[in-house]
Amino acid sequence: MTVKDEGRTVTIQVGSSSVQILKYGANVLSWVVNGRDHLWVSEKAITDGTKAVRGGIPLVFPVFGKTTGQGHATSQLPQHGFARTSEWEFLGSPDEQTAQFGLGPENLSKEAAEAWPYNFTLIYTVRLTNDSSLETELSVENTDKKPFEFNQLFHTYFKVQNIAHVEVDGLQAVNVTDKIECTGYIKKPGPISIHEETDRVYRDEPGTVAITVDKKPYVTIERSSEVCDVVVWNPWNDKAQDLTDFYPKDAYKQMICVEVGSVGKFTELAPGKKWNAKQTLKL
Ligand code: BG6
């Protein structure tokens, strides 16, 4: 078991399994078990720190998407906030299978720091367990004198062989917002399959979510109670053409984003308080 600082990346190795994290964005780039990577990263993903990485696990904070209303503290921030486009500090490894990263106002670009003028500390803990599960945990601390509001999401891109055989199971009859149709409805019972561009938020969803292949479990996503919403996203053909860093263009058939977090409404954090969100990916 080792945690290696390789400069731009950090690698955790447990037996033959490994996880690689890019310090830029603290973006998990790979989760390799039995010689196979279970995360999808675009062949044209930009990893030089000039753009959010198209793949792996980008971190969405402090806003999901783009704030529409003017006047909210996140309204000047870029889509999905600044966590995925900031250089995080590698804080070290509390044990031989865990890597920790930190982000505070001092790590932000001038624009981001001006747009979101709060004192805060983010600690991101990435752990590869003995059974090769991948745990990611984000702790948010308000070190300011005033409260702030935020969204948070683990924007996980899973690699699949063929989207036609994939379903997302475990979601209950919750409120759904369809960002493409711009509609809301209550989810029908049963698993979800993807046949077209899909961009939906399932709100206040308790319990474990499973990605299945041919109805058999592939990955399960366990989460802490703060992680109450699930976003299911696949750009499909037309949108993939528009995304310059999405490659190969037909790779929408080999990926699915199942993103868990807290995005249905803003979470308010009082001065001096901490908030924690955790997901565990299990094969
Ligand atoms: C998803 C959003 O989380 O991320 C989609 O629900 C968005 O609306 C997608 O298109 C990708 O976003 P980006 O900024 O990485 O292209």
Side-chain angles (χ1 to χ4, degrees), residues 51-55 58 60 64-65 79-80 84 153 155 157 179-180 197-201 231-235 239 243 245 257 259:
K51 190 179 189 310
V53 177
R54 176 71 59 203
V60 169
F64 168 60
Q79 155 116 335
H80 291 341
R84 65 178 186 164
L153 192 71
H155 194 309
Y157 288 75
K179 290 174 70 178
I180 295 169
E197 184 183 356
T198 302
D199 191 358
R200 295 187 211 127
V201 184
V231 179
V232 178
W233 180 65
N234 184 303
K239 179 89 190 275
L243 297 170
D245 57 352
C257 283
E259 313 159 23

Side-chain angles (χ1 to χ4, degrees), residues 26-75:
N27 199 123
V28 177
L29 291 177
S30 66
W31 172 37
V32 178
V33 182
N34 294 329
R36 185 168 157 203
D37 197 343
H38 296 275
L39 300 180
W40 181 83
V41 178
S42 163
E43 287 177 20
K44 288 198 177 163
I46 295 165
T47 56
D48 65 359
T50 56
K51 190 179 189 310
V53 177
R54 176 71 59 203
I57 314 182
L59 277 173
V60 169
F61 180 91
V63 64
F64 168 60
K66 193 82 187 99
T67 311
T68 41
Q70 283 305 308
H72 192 267
T74 55
S75 61

Side-chain angles (χ1 to χ4, degrees), residues 4-281:
K4 264 196 212 142
D5 183 350
E6 291 153 337
R8 292 176 56 245
T9 56
V10 173
T11 298
I12 309 172
Q13 183 90 38
V14 174
S16 61
S17 302
S18 65
V19 168
Q20 191 184 40
I21 308 115
L22 183 71
K23 291 179 187 172
Y24 178 75
N27 199 123
V28 177
L29 291 177
S30 66
W31 172 37
V32 178
V33 182
N34 294 329
R36 185 168 157 203
D37 197 343
H38 296 275
L39 300 180
W40 181 83
V41 178
S42 163
E43 287 177 20
K44 288 198 177 163
I46 295 165
T47 56
D48 65 359
T50 56
K51 190 179 189 310
V53 177
R54 176 71 59 203
I57 314 182
L59 277 173
V60 169
F61 180 91
V63 64
F64 168 60
K66 193 82 187 99
T67 311
T68 41
Q70 283 305 308
H72 192 267
T74 55
S75 61
Q76 300 307 311
L77 290 173
Q79 155 116 335
H80 291 341
F82 52 69
R84 65 178 186 164
T85 51
S86 298
E87 192 70 31
W88 290 58
E89 272 174 54
F90 175 48
L91 302 176
S93 38
D95 60 46
E96 291 172 328
Q97 52 202 120
T98 308
Q100 273 189 326
F101 302 85
L103 189 80
E106 65 283 7
N107 308 109
L108 300 191
S109 67
K110 195 169 162 280
E111 296 75 29
E114 279 172 12
W116 210 67
Y118 298 104
N119 286 317
F120 66 92
T121 303
L122 299 186
I123 305 284
Y124 189 43
T125 306
V126 181
R127 183 159 197 271
L128 182 59
T129 69
N130 291 342
D131 68 354
S132 299
S133 298
L134 172 56
E135 297 177 353
T136 61
E137 182 167 6
L138 184 72
S139 144
V140 182
E141 184 177 5
N142 184 343
T143 52
D144 210 292
K145 290 194 171 59
K146 41 192 187 302
F148 58 67
E149 292 190 318
F150 62 93
N151 297 143
Q152 179 277 334
L153 192 71
F154 301 108
H155 194 309
T156 310
Y157 288 75
F158 293 95
K159 186 186 261 185
V160 296
Q161 275 177 346
N162 185 345
I163 191 76
H165 296 256
V166 171
E167 287 181 325
V168 181
D169 203 1
L171 296 164
Q172 312 297 316
V174 292
N175 284 312
V176 186
T177 303
D178 190 314
K179 290 174 70 178
I180 295 169
E181 303 291 335
C182 297
T183 53
Y185 58 92
I186 304 289
K187 183 189 167 296
K188 294 196 191 92
I192 304 159
S193 49
I194 311 289
H195 308 282
E196 60 191 340
E197 184 183 356
T198 302
D199 191 358
R200 295 187 211 127
V201 184
Y202 296 81
R203 285 158 199 268
D204 293 314
E205 174 56 33
T208 298
V209 179
I211 300 176
T212 63
V213 174
D214 293 327
K215 310 261 180 213
K216 293 187 202 85
Y218 167 54
V219 183
T220 57
I221 309 168
E222 290 174 4
R223 53 220 160 96
S224 60
S225 58
E226 297 78 10
V227 182
C228 50
D229 303 313
V230 179
V231 179
V232 178
W233 180 65
N234 184 303
W236 216 249
N237 186 45
D238 290 358
K239 179 89 190 275
Q241 307 302 318
D242 294 344
L243 297 170
T244 49
D245 57 352
F246 193 101
Y247 196 82
K249 289 298 173 195
D250 62 359
Y252 65 89
K253 295 176 193 162
Q254 272 82 50
M255 55 73 67
I256 182 170
C257 283
V258 181
E259 313 159 23
V260 302
S262 175
V263 298
K265 55 182 175 3
F266 282 105
T267 299
E268 186 178 287
L269 196 62
K273 295 287 181 198
K274 270 192 192 169
W275 181 93
N276 258 44
K278 181 173 177 186
Q279 76 166 358
T280 303
L281 307 182

